[in-house]
Amino acid sequence: MAAAARPRLVRALPMSLAASVFHRPVQRQLHHAVIPHGRSGRSSVSGVVATVFGATGFLGRYVVNHLGRMGSQVIVPYRCEPYDVMHLRPMGDLGQIIFLEWNGRNKDSIRRAVEHSNVVINLVGREWETKNFDFEDVFVTIPQAIAQVSREAGVEKFIHISHLNADIKSSSRYLRSKAVGEKEVRNAFPEAIIIKPSDIFGREDRFLNYFANMRWFGGVPLVSLGKKTVKQPVYVVDVSKGIVNAIKEPDATGKTFAFVGPNRYLLFDLVQYIFAVAHRPFFPYPLPHFAYRLIARLFETSPFEPWTTRDKVERVHITDVTLPHLPGLEDLGIQAVPLELKAIEVLRRHRTYRWLASEIEDVKPAKTVNV
């Protein structure tokens, strides 16, 4: 019955829509998953079939969750063990979250992941380099290949996640690679939507948790005590909503967005607030830049995930730029959530038992810096 009903649905489409579907440069068979029907919600069909590269990461799980809740079909390419992606399965209705093994260096593998999608989102990222994948591979080569294959496959919307501080002249190789990746993606897919978020905080982040874990060193080492660095972190749910709204917004095509939080903080004041919320003693001390990099070099020798790296030392102490000429969260209908309202979600786990139930109202808000 379903097979018989499908042709009738296609014939019922308006002539203009049918012409746009069947007379595109790349001929694609109209799949029932891209025909919206039902009321909005998890069990409806939104008409969005999205391939989310990097869905197994920190931001990816929030994006998959938002897409699943609106009734989208989500293809999740993965490289890890199948059991490591099972937490994503309940985020959509039955059969709507589809898992597919892929290889970032194999274009046929990428093509198989995007061939039935009308939206592709690239969230592939890495905090540190490995012997198999350096920053150029992760932020330049693989995104370029995904954008190129998506263009050839006739994908309607391509969303690429970069970084607010991405700059070809940055002292951080991570940020330099991000800047080159933006350029290559734009060349391969001119209509791509590029999103430049600042440091993202949330339950599983490597931002607030990174500073909170500094307590194991008997104090908080900061270059120039963090008084020369300004940060403007953004909440992970806001970034995820912004990505989903960019899919829905027809005017977003080909634009670059800057996603930032509502407040800017001196790094010193921000870390002080983090320790206040965690009810931990705050003992900052200045550490010369070269000494910090030397310590980070020792952590890089770890065979496991390094606590910090020389490149992360650079990124942590780079001031967030302001890009008023670029549209932001407000242009996509999202009001950014202040750090003070959500920090407790991240930092409660760093408290001792005595302060576990203490309310956030007991903590004085962090000082902000004018833009």
Side-chain angles (χ1 to χ4, degrees):
M1 291 297 292
R6 213 167 293 149
R8 289 199 293 272
L9 285 173
V10 174
R11 287 197 295 270
L13 290 172
M15 289 300 293
S16 59
L17 178 57
S20 65
V21 171
F22 294 108
H23 293 86
R24 294 169 60 183
V26 178
Q27 296 294 330
R28 307 182 78 188
Q29 185 179 1
L30 186 63
H31 194 271
H32 65 87
V34 301
I35 304 175
H37 62 269
R39 297 181 180 181
S40 61
R42 175 189 175 93
S43 296
S44 64
V45 176
S46 68
V48 174
V49 179
T51 298
V52 184
F53 291 95
T56 56
F58 166 49
L59 176 59
R61 69 187 67 188
Y62 290 88
V63 174
V64 172
N65 188 32
H66 278 101
L67 290 171
R69 284 193 296 176
M70 62 185 271
S72 303
Q73 189 173 88
V74 184
I75 292 90
V76 179
Y78 69 93
R79 296 175 49 248
C80 53
E81 287 290 327
Y83 291 106
D84 293 336
V85 296
M86 287 301 103
H87 63 282
L88 300 175
R89 189 179 291 280
M91 293 182 179
D93 205 1
L94 186 64
Q96 289 293 82
I97 309 297
I98 301 170
F99 300 99
L100 184 69
E101 287 191 70
W102 79 298
N103 180 354
R105 294 192 171 104
N106 187 332
K107 287 191 176 182
D108 290 334
S109 175
I110 298 173
R111 188 171 292 106
R112 190 166 60 253
V114 305
E115 62 183 351
H116 298 298
S117 302
N118 53 15
V119 175
V120 173
I121 304 172
N122 176 40
L123 304 175
V124 175
R126 191 74 169 176
E127 283 278 313
W128 65 94
E129 295 181 290
T130 66
K131 64 179 181 180
N132 296 319
F133 292 94
D134 59 17
F135 287 146
E136 185 176 355
D137 293 328
V138 174
F139 299 131
V140 182
T141 307
I142 293 177
Q144 180 188 27
I146 295 173
Q148 183 179 353
V149 172
S150 298
R151 179 74 173 176
E152 294 170 355
V155 171
E156 297 172 11
K157 282 203 172 183
F158 183 84
I159 299 178
H160 174 70
I161 307 302
S162 182
H163 194 281
L164 181 70
N165 295 328
D167 186 355
I168 196 65
K169 297 181 180 179
S170 175
S171 59
S172 163
R173 191 175 179 212
Y174 176 102
L175 296 175
R176 291 198 302 271
S177 300
K178 283 278 192 180
V180 176
E182 285 184 28
K183 183 179 179 180
E184 295 299 332
V185 165
R186 184 68 74 192
N187 290 337
F189 202 120
E191 299 85 11
I193 301 170
I194 295 177
I195 295 176
K196 298 164 67 73
S198 58
D199 293 306
I200 303 175
F201 67 90
R203 288 181 184 269
E204 312 89 353
D205 71 17
R206 289 191 174 96
F207 184 68
L208 298 185
N209 285 310
Y210 171 77
F211 291 112
N213 283 325
M214 284 184 173
R215 68 181 185 274
W216 298 109
F217 295 90
V220 183
L222 294 171
V223 176
S224 301
L225 276 179
K227 295 188 176 182
K228 295 182 179 179
T229 305
V230 179
K231 291 293 182 182
Q232 194 171 0
V234 62
Y235 186 40
V236 62
V237 174
D238 293 337
V239 177
S240 175
K241 288 180 179 177
I243 292 171
V244 174
N245 286 5
I247 297 173
K248 304 175 185 177
E249 178 58 56
D251 295 334
T253 303
K255 291 184 178 180
T256 300
F257 292 84
F259 287 1
V260 296
N263 299 322
R264 292 173 66 85
Y265 312 91
L266 280 176
L267 183 60
F268 176 87
D269 295 327
L270 177 60
V271 179
Q272 185 178 35
Y273 176 75
I274 290 170
F275 276 73
V277 173
H279 286 277
R280 296 284 184 173
F282 178 58
F283 300 119
Y285 58 89
L287 190 65
H289 187 267
F290 76 90
Y292 213 147
R293 284 179 59 87
L294 182 61
I295 294 172
R297 178 69 183 89
L298 297 177
F299 279 103
E300 289 176 12
T301 61
S302 170
F304 307 103
E305 176 182 341
W307 175 74
T308 192
T309 63
R310 287 168 292 178
D311 196 89
K312 180 143 190 170
V313 170
E314 297 290 341
R315 298 199 306 273
V316 163
H317 293 91
I318 291 177
T319 293
D320 287 347
V321 299
T322 55
L323 302 172
H325 61 285
L326 294 181
L329 288 168
E330 297 79 8
D331 298 275
L332 293 171
I334 297 168
Q335 187 67 33
V337 176
L339 171 75
E340 290 80 2
L341 294 182
K342 297 296 180 179
I344 187 64
E345 294 182 2
V346 185
L347 299 172
R348 190 183 295 275
R349 60 185 286 264
H350 294 279
R351 292 179 169 183
T352 59
Y353 178 78
R354 176 185 177 186
W355 300 103
L356 200 58
S358 177
E359 298 299 329
I360 196 170
E361 289 79 7
D362 300 336
V363 180
K364 185 178 179 181
K367 297 178 183 177
T368 58
V369 176
N370 294 328
V371 178

